[in-house]
Structure formats: C-alpha cells, structure tokens
Amino acid sequence: GVSSTVPEDNFFIAMVSELTIGGVIDLVSEYVPALDTVSIPGKLAESGIYPFDQDYKTSCVGQLDGFVNKTAQDLDLECFAFLSYSPIKEQRLAFRSGNVVIPAGVALQGRLNFLGWEIAMNLAVSKTRLYIDAWMDPVDLEIGDGFQMRIGNRLENKVAVGGAKFLVDLRVAPMPSALIDIGGAFDIPMLKAYGMLNVTLNADIFSYTSAISLFDGALSSNVNVTWNWDLTFFKMELRDMNF
C-alpha cells in the first residue's frame, strides 16, 4: 500500500504458506502438460520456502485452511513465510483470505529448505526493538580428498555438533531489556583446528565462553567470564593462552 498524502499508511507485505520446487512444477504442469511426466527426487521436490515454525502443519492447520478457502479470520503471520515493512505504524488489513496485522518496522520470517538442509530466521526491527532468532542445521563440508569443515553449536571431543543458533532480543520500551543466546562451533580436522563461542545474557546472568585451537594447540586460547547481576557470583578464567 502506497499513499503520497498519508505517509503513515504506507506498507509492504509478501507472504506465502509454502513454496516448493515440487509445488511450482505441479502448478506449471497445468499449463504445460509435458511436465506431468517429469520426476524429481523427493528432497529436491520438497526444497523451498516454509514458515519459521517447523511444526506449522500441526499448529497452524486452521490458519492454512482459512487462507486457502478464503474464510474470513485473523491470520497469524507465524503460520507463513513473509517479509513486511511498515515504516511508521502497525497496519491492520482486510483481505478475502482474512485479516492481517503488519507490525511496525521491518519483519522477516521464514525457513529455507535445500535438499533437506535448513536455515531459518525470525527478524523484527522497529524503533523500540531489535529481535533476531536464527538457526541452521549442522554443516559438514568436504572438498577434495582431505579437506573437511564442520559447523555446529558446540564441541564434543573437539568435533562440532548440533546446529548453530543466534538469538538477540533488545528492547527499549516499554522497559529496557536484553536477551542474548548465541552458540557456534567449528572444526577442521586437516588443520587440527577447532573453536567455539557461547554467549548468554538474560535478567539473571551474563556468560561468555570461547575457545580456539589451531595446528594442534600451537595457537590457542580459552576464555570464560560469568557473573550474576546481583553480584553473588563472579568468575573469570583464562587458560591455554598460546600465541
């Protein structure tokens, strides 16, 4: 929506319940019958864009049915992959598929699936808040005969496992607050290298832990800082500092 006379009414939104390669081929095949004979692997057919919530087919069943059948209701954007922008204020819009509330600022939610590997982001930026919730599946990259790099959220026996995560929630209103939860790790066997970073910040505690080791410990450092905001606990630890 664009208004030259009432700037606060300007907005943009693009949303989809699900968009996959298989779905696109099925749609196009209605106009190009030759595509009916095309067979693609299941993981490739399922590659595409999905809502941020991995359980959306269960939690959003009523929402998705209403969206498809165009029955009037309030649509929950959590049940869709979407990008929106409303620079001045929150917008409430009425569509045939239902009513949509567009948040003030920039918002982005979605999950990208490529051959079964996924990365997801939930982003909201406004005058009073910065919110980022992102994660990805573990990465195991192999190049050539010997190079391997793994990316995860923690180290187990110097091997990166799990999926990296990134959560930041900073608010200035109605009351200033901060929440941070970041976890990442990597290892490269060929270089005998590994590293990790974990940061936690909430109403009770701040914790920072990092470790890195290159060339089997020839270059390394370990840092751990933790304290409670009520000052009942404080710890700072520096170990294996080799440069």
Side-chain angles (χ1 to χ4, degrees):
V2 178
S3 174
S4 59
T5 57
V6 188
E8 59 266 26
D9 289 342
N10 291 334
F11 71 90
F12 166 84
I13 185 168
M15 55 191 289
V16 62
S17 57
E18 182 180 299
L19 180 64
T20 64
I21 292 177
V24 171
I25 291 178
D26 288 343
L27 178 63
V28 175
S29 66
E30 295 183 9
Y31 305 94
V32 185
L35 290 178
D36 283 334
T37 61
V38 174
S39 177
I40 59 176
K43 285 189 175 181
L44 180 58
E46 295 171 358
S47 297
I49 299 172
Y50 295 85
F52 180 80
D53 183 3
Q54 290 181 297
D55 297 323
Y56 75 100
K57 287 189 175 180
T58 299
S59 59
C60 297
V61 60
Q63 288 277 311
L64 299 179
D65 288 345
F67 183 70
V68 172
N69 299 325
K70 296 180 172 61
T71 56
Q73 61 175 323
D74 287 335
L75 296 178
D76 184 356
L77 286 178
E78 298 287 337
C79 298
F80 300 87
F82 75 92
L83 169 64
S84 71
Y85 175 58
S86 182
I88 298 178
K89 68 174 185 176
E90 178 182 279
Q91 308 282 347
R92 185 175 181 86
L93 309 174
F95 296 110
R96 287 190 303 164
S97 300
N99 302 316
V100 177
V101 176
I102 301 176
V106 177
L108 168 68
Q109 282 193 33
R111 180 164 43 96
L112 176 65
N113 179 307
F114 180 69
L115 299 178
W117 182 86
E118 293 189 331
I119 183 170
M121 175 175 284
N122 181 353
L123 168 71
V125 181
S126 69
K127 295 179 181 178
T128 60
R129 188 185 188 193
L130 170 63
Y131 179 81
I132 305 173
D133 184 5
W135 57 264
M136 68 179 185
D137 285 339
V139 174
D140 191 343
L141 178 65
E142 295 187 19
I143 301 176
D145 295 331
F147 183 85
Q148 180 183 27
M149 181 177 183
R150 290 175 288 240
I151 300 175
N153 69 13
R154 65 189 186 278
L155 291 172
E156 292 185 0
N157 297 320
K158 301 180 182 180
V159 175
V161 298
K165 61 180 181 178
F166 185 94
L167 173 63
V168 173
D169 188 0
L170 306 177
R171 304 179 188 226
V172 296
M175 183 175 180
S177 65
L179 173 65
I180 298 175
D181 188 8
I182 300 173
F186 77 92
D187 76 277
I188 306 175
M190 175 183 285
L191 302 180
K192 295 185 177 181
Y194 63 86
M196 60 81 65
L197 172 68
N198 189 280
V199 181
T200 300
L201 172 66
N202 56 42
D204 300 317
I205 194 173
F206 169 79
S207 175
Y208 172 93
T209 302
S210 67
I212 189 167
S213 177
L214 303 176
F215 309 115
D216 201 22
L219 300 173
S220 66
S221 72
N222 284 270
V223 179
N224 182 11
V225 179
T226 304
W227 75 71
N228 292 350
W229 296 117
D230 62 7
L231 302 181
T232 58
F233 179 83
F234 175 82
K235 176 181 179 182
M236 177 179 288
E237 185 178 22
L238 305 177
R239 295 184 295 110
D240 303 326
M241 309 297 286
N242 295 320
F243 297 100

